[in-house]
C-alpha cells in the first residue's frame, strides 16, 4: 500500500525526491503519513482539498477484507 501511495504522490509533485511515505499501526488502523516538499504541498492538497480527498478515496477503496479482519487505512498529509 505504501508503494501505491508513493507512486500516486510522486506523479503529482515536482520534487519527487522529497516524497516520503511512512506507515504505523494505530489501534485497528494503519496510518500512512505522506511528507512532500513545502512547495508541492498545494498540489497534493488541491483546491478545496479535492486532490487529498481523491488520494484518500483510492486508499479507502483498498480497505477491503484482509483475512478475517477488515483493514482500515488512514492517510495524513503533512
Amino acid at each position: 500500500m505504501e508503494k501505491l501511495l508513493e507512486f500516486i504522490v510522486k506523479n503529482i509533485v515536482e520534487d519527487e525526491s522529497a516524497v516520503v511515505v511512512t506507515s504505523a499501526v494505530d489501534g485497528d488502523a494503519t496510518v500512512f503519513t505522506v511528507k512532500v516538499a513545502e512547495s508541492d504541498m498545494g498540489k497534493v492538497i488541491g483546491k478545496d482539498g479535492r486532490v487529498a480527498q481523491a488520494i484518500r478515496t483510492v486508499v479507502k477503496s483498498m480497505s477491503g477484507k484482509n483475512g478475517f479482519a477488515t483493514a482500515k487505512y488512514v492517510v495524513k498529509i503533512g
Side-chain angles (χ1 to χ4, degrees):
M1 183 60 72
E2 278 185 55
K3 294 291 182 187
L4 172 66
L5 192 54
E6 186 176 330
F7 176 79
I8 291 170
V9 174
K10 280 187 175 183
N11 281 288
I12 295 172
V13 300
E14 287 186 28
D15 186 5
E16 294 179 14
S17 63
V19 175
V20 177
V21 178
T22 58
S23 65
V25 177
D26 184 18
D28 64 340
T30 302
V31 178
F32 295 101
T33 304
V34 179
K35 297 194 186 245
V36 297
E38 194 68 37
S39 60
D40 288 325
M41 188 64 73
K43 291 180 182 180
V44 175
I45 294 172
K47 186 176 182 179
D48 295 326
R50 290 183 181 143
V51 175
Q53 187 59 43
I55 292 170
R56 289 184 177 109
T57 300
V58 169
V59 171
K60 186 177 179 182
S61 71
M62 300 299 289
S63 299
K65 295 280 183 175
N66 184 11
F68 293 104
T70 302
K72 183 177 177 185
Y73 300 124
V74 177
V75 178
K76 291 186 178 181
I77 299 171

